[in-house]
Amino acid sequence: MTSKKQYPNIMICGTHGVGKSHLCQQLCSSNSSLKHIDITDLAKQHKYLLDYDDENQCNILDDDAIGDYLDDQYFQKSSSSGLLIDFHSAGIIPDNNQIHAIFVLRCNSNTLSDRLKARNYPKNKLEYILQSETFQLCLNEAREAFDEAMVYELQNDSEDDLKNNLEYLLKWIDQWPFNTMME
């Protein structure tokens, strides 16, 4: 009897514009055993939206409904393996021993500002996101929500950074659960 290789379930977090979705897509293209779950898309698709925040110009998601969905559709199944959960906040997923690592993407302010301007972000939202990145809110939240040993910080300013992060993560995933050698 051969056993199917198990892959870690990881979160890719960071402020808007740091390259989370692009990195997840690249990872899935490189390893077909990985499954990209974009939490924002999931929330819209299943109507897990509580309200709209006019000031911050974003939807308020139903964290409980999202957690229940992930639990029912993935975590409770013995085949739950290789999930790449993409969202700006690690706190949306409870620490239920189903997530094996959190990778927080970071980006310098100038590069991030250029990316957000190219997406036509309104000035107040752009400033809020830049401030969040400066004060490393996503990184701090990940460290508060999960064991700090599970949280990794990756710089993602350029195509070279993206390539290096992709190579690093593919190696990390391939060597999991024996990834302590990579530290």
Side-chain angles (χ1 to χ4, degrees):
M1 183 169 109
T2 58
S3 63
K4 184 178 175 187
K5 176 169 174 47
Q6 290 291 298
Y7 291 92
N9 296 323
I10 64 176
M11 288 197 70
I12 306 289
C13 301
T15 58
H16 298 275
V18 295
K20 299 176 300 294
S21 296
H22 188 58
L23 179 59
C24 286
Q25 291 162 357
Q26 293 289 315
L27 287 164
C28 288
S29 292
S30 298
N31 183 334
S32 62
S33 295
L34 302 176
K35 178 175 178 50
H36 179 204
I37 300 173
D38 182 313
I39 294 295
T40 302
D41 290 348
L42 179 117
K44 289 176 182 174
Q45 178 184 359
H46 294 281
K47 297 184 179 27
Y48 298 146
L49 309 171
L50 296 175
D51 204 354
Y52 187 80
D53 182 339
D54 290 319
E55 183 180 342
N56 291 310
Q57 300 174 345
C58 64
N59 289 307
I60 300 171
L61 307 185
D62 186 342
D63 297 8
D64 291 335
I66 291 167
D68 290 346
Y69 177 86
L70 292 173
D71 216 35
D72 293 342
Q73 295 299 313
Y74 299 105
F75 298 145
Q76 294 301 320
K77 297 181 178 182
S78 61
S79 61
S80 172
S81 173
L83 302 178
L84 300 176
I85 300 173
D86 167 358
F87 193 59
H88 61 89
S89 168
I92 194 140
I93 305 295
D95 187 359
N96 59 5
N97 297 320
Q98 296 295 325
I99 302 297
H100 303 103
I102 297 90
F103 292 91
V104 181
L105 297 185
R106 303 294 310 281
C107 189
N108 76 56
S109 294
N110 292 334
T111 302
L112 185 57
S113 178
D114 291 345
R115 290 177 186 174
L116 296 174
K117 285 177 183 174
R119 294 181 183 181
N120 296 315
Y121 272 65
K123 184 179 180 186
N124 62 332
K125 187 165 184 170
L126 187 143
E127 289 172 358
Y128 175 77
I129 293 169
L130 290 173
Q131 203 171 48
S132 295
E133 183 64 15
T134 299
F135 293 114
Q136 62 188 28
L137 292 182
C138 295
L139 180 61
N140 291 339
E141 184 178 67
R143 288 176 173 158
E144 290 173 12
F146 290 87
D147 181 342
E148 283 192 44
M150 296 174 55
V151 179
Y152 301 83
E153 181 179 1
L154 300 175
Q155 199 63 31
N156 204 45
D157 296 325
S158 65
E159 285 298 317
D160 282 342
D161 288 339
L162 174 65
K163 181 181 174 216
N164 292 336
N165 291 336
L166 178 62
E167 289 172 6
Y168 174 79
L169 283 166
L170 288 170
K171 185 176 178 183
W172 191 97
I173 290 166
D174 187 53
Q175 293 183 354
W176 181 85
F178 307 107
N179 54 36
T180 54
M181 295 178 287
M182 294 182 61
E183 302 306 319

